[in-house]
């Protein structure tokens, strides 16, 4: 399994799942035999009318809504609810009801009884009624799957959507390829001799990777469905910008994600800005940054010991609060490592500079990035 497929599957398992507890029996049971189940359900309806209504409208069970098994812990319920609030097609009130039910042992027990009674009572419904309900239920699961897939692509490949919404040609259009004529799994080859070869190579990395191609095609299909024929009119003015601007396209495709991360980190931690230039938080605590790589516990001890010997000034406290936190330290180290070349890119206004200038900057960026990987000496950008 490729790394891309693995990452996709890991995301999807948190947002998409089947609904094994919801089942509509195919056999028919006459009214006289389901009466006992109806009476029991009517008693529960006083406290759980909305939950019962959800089942009768084809909504998946609360377990499926939050993607949880019956034995899920309360902590797992809490985390699942927070995840789903950010990424789900289910209405807020449905998510909230699922959370409330699964956060209480008593309510969870009652709800399982409701599911059991519902499945029994459905035997009294006609085949047509059952099929309509099954269809509605399957529709919810499919919509949730599509939403999760789209959200994953937006999170992981935001640059693709940015290019789309700025009227840029698709990868297929750049390569001169008709996507509708490609066979499943067929290798894509460039038919456009005028496109920048560097851009072709970047596109190949995506379009000839089965998982990434699936994700890109999925995004195109969803956006085409959303905008349809309006798309050409919406982006008419932007389309002219991209003619002959392969260098701009290449720069955005390669560097959009790190630039976005850079901006987000600076925005979230504006008090770091003074410490990502010549003087760092490591300097504040008198720590040799190169000497603390290795065991996590050892790193934490080094930082803690350095802090103990310092006067508790606001600057020292800030440095310690960042470096002692594993996640914050990783983000801070990433900024220190990449700031130089990110600054070069961040200052470019693609509408003001020509491709020659962009190519010049990208060359310097590639040199700096290579030095970071090889540990070579920094080369000061010229010009």
């Amino acid at each position: 399994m490729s790394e891309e497929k693995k990452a996709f599957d890991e995301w999807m398992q948190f947002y998409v799942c089947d609904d094994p507890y919801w089942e509509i029996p195919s056999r028919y049971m006459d009214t006289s035999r389901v009466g006992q189940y109806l009476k029991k359900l009517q008693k529960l309806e006083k406290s759980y009318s909305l939950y019962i209504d959800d089942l009768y409208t084809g909504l998946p069970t609360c377990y499926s809504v939050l993607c949880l098994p019956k034995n899920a812990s309360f902590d797992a319920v809490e985390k699942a609810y927070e995840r789903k609030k950010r990424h789900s097609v289910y209405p807020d009130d449905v998510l909230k009801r699922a959370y409330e039910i699964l956060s209480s042992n008593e309510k969870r027990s009652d709800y399982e009884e409701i599911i059991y009674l519902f499945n029994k009572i459905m035997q009294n419904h006609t085949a047509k009624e059952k099929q309509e309900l099954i269809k509605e239920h399957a529709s919810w699961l499919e919509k949730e799957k599509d939403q999760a897939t789209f959200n994953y692509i937006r999170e992981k490949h935001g640059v693709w959507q940015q290019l789309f919404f700025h009227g840029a040609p698709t990868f297929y259009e750049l390569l001169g390829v008709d996507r509708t004529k490609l066979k499943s799994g067929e290798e894509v080859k460039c038919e456009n001799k005028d496109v920048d070869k560097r851009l072709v190579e970047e596109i190949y990395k995506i379009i000839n990777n089965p998982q990434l191609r699936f994700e890109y095609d999925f995004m195109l299909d969803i956006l085409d469905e959303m905008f349809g024929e309006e798309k050409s009119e919406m982006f008419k003015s932007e389309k002219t910008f991209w003619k002959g601007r392969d260098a701009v396209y290449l720069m955005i495709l390669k560097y959009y994600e790190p630039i976005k991360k850079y901006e987000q980190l600076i925005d979230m931690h504006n008090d770091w800005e003074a410490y990502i230039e010549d003087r760092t938080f490591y300097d504040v605590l008198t720590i040799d940054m190169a000497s603390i790589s290795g065991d996590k516990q050892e790193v934490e001890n080094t930082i803690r010991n350095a802090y103990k010997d310092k006067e508790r000034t606001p600057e020292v406290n800030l440095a310690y609060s960042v470096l002692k936190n594993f996640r914050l330290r990783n983000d801070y180290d990433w900024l220190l490592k990449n700031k130089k070349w990110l600054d070069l890119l961040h200052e470019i206004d693609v509408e003001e500079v020509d491709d020659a200038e962009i190519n010049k900057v990208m060359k310097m960026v590639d040199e700096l990035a290579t030095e970071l990987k090889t540990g070579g000496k920094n080369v000061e950008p010229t010009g």
Side-chain angles (χ1 to χ4, degrees), residues 137-153:
H137 181 265
S139 174
W140 275 110
L141 294 178
E142 190 63 28
K143 285 187 289 186
E144 185 73 345
K145 181 180 178 181
D146 286 349
Q147 183 68 45
T149 302
F150 190 74
N151 286 339
Y152 175 82
I153 296 167

Side-chain angles (χ1 to χ4, degrees), residues 139-351:
S139 174
W140 275 110
L141 294 178
E142 190 63 28
K143 285 187 289 186
E144 185 73 345
K145 181 180 178 181
D146 286 349
Q147 183 68 45
T149 302
F150 190 74
N151 286 339
Y152 175 82
I153 296 167
R154 184 172 58 189
E155 290 277 331
K156 299 296 182 180
H157 312 295
V159 63
W160 298 351
Q161 289 188 44
Q162 287 298 315
L163 287 167
F164 178 91
F165 286 116
H166 283 83
T170 68
F171 297 159
Y172 297 103
E173 289 169 342
L174 277 172
L175 299 180
V177 173
D178 185 347
R179 179 164 76 107
T180 62
K181 294 181 179 179
L182 288 171
K183 297 177 182 178
S184 177
E186 180 182 353
E187 182 181 4
V188 179
K189 295 181 180 179
C190 183
E191 301 293 339
N192 181 2
K193 296 180 180 179
D194 296 326
V195 68
D196 190 312
K197 291 182 179 179
R198 297 170 303 167
L199 181 53
V200 172
E201 289 303 314
E202 285 299 313
I203 292 174
Y204 277 172
K205 292 175 185 177
I206 299 166
I207 221 69
N208 284 325
N209 176 304
Q211 180 60 32
L212 294 181
R213 180 168 165 182
F214 157 75
E215 293 166 16
Y216 184 69
D217 286 353
F218 183 92
M219 181 202 74
L220 290 182
D221 290 340
I222 292 294
L223 293 176
D224 283 343
E225 185 179 321
M226 288 171 63
F227 298 103
E229 295 180 0
E230 298 176 13
K231 183 179 67 172
S232 58
E233 193 61 36
M234 285 171 60
F235 307 126
K236 190 174 182 179
S237 59
E238 287 91 340
K239 285 284 185 185
T240 57
F241 168 79
W242 295 99
K243 291 181 179 179
R245 303 304 306 274
D246 287 0
V248 175
Y249 200 118
L250 176 64
M251 185 187 73
I252 294 172
L253 188 59
K254 285 183 69 174
Y255 301 117
Y256 171 84
E257 298 298 344
I259 289 174
K260 178 184 174 184
K261 180 177 179 178
Y262 171 83
E263 291 175 343
Q264 288 175 336
L265 288 176
I266 292 297
D267 186 54
M268 287 190 296
H269 309 290
N270 50 54
D271 52 355
W272 292 7
E273 280 198 82
Y275 301 95
I276 53 177
E277 297 288 348
D278 297 328
R279 191 161 184 264
T280 70
F281 287 141
Y282 292 99
D283 295 328
V284 171
L285 297 183
T286 323
I287 296 173
D288 180 4
M289 184 179 176
S291 69
I292 68 165
S293 59
D295 180 72
K296 181 182 176 182
Q297 189 62 49
E298 186 179 327
V299 171
E300 291 175 353
N301 288 337
T302 299
I303 294 169
R304 193 179 299 112
N305 290 333
Y307 178 64
K308 285 195 315 187
D309 297 333
K310 295 290 181 181
E311 181 183 350
R312 302 297 195 267
T313 64
E315 182 182 59
V316 167
N317 288 335
L318 174 61
Y320 180 63
S321 69
V322 173
L323 298 184
K324 73 173 182 178
N325 183 296
F326 180 75
R327 182 181 59 80
L328 292 180
R329 186 171 71 248
N330 274 352
D331 286 341
Y332 179 68
D333 288 350
W334 185 87
L335 280 175
L336 290 182
K337 183 178 180 181
N338 297 291
K339 184 179 185 301
K340 194 169 185 178
W341 65 267
L342 283 167
D343 279 345
L344 285 172
L345 292 169
H346 196 256
E347 293 170 4
I348 292 179
D349 185 339
V350 296
E351 295 187 5

Side-chain angles (χ1 to χ4, degrees), residues 45-59:
E45 194 171 10
K46 295 177 182 178
S47 301
Y48 302 103
S49 61
L50 291 176
Y51 299 93
I52 295 171
D53 289 345
D54 286 346
L55 293 175
Y56 275 111
T57 57
L59 271 164

Side-chain angles (χ1 to χ4, degrees), residues 128-140:
K128 182 180 179 181
E129 290 172 333
K130 291 178 183 178
Q131 285 304 313
E132 288 176 351
L133 200 59
I134 290 171
K135 184 178 179 181
E136 185 64 26
H137 181 265
S139 174
W140 275 110

Side-chain angles (χ1 to χ4, degrees), residues 10-24:
E10 287 175 352
W11 168 281
M12 295 297 281
Q13 72 179 350
F14 287 116
Y15 297 100
V16 180
C17 56
D18 295 326
D19 194 4
Y21 312 118
W22 190 97
E23 53 182 321
I24 302 297

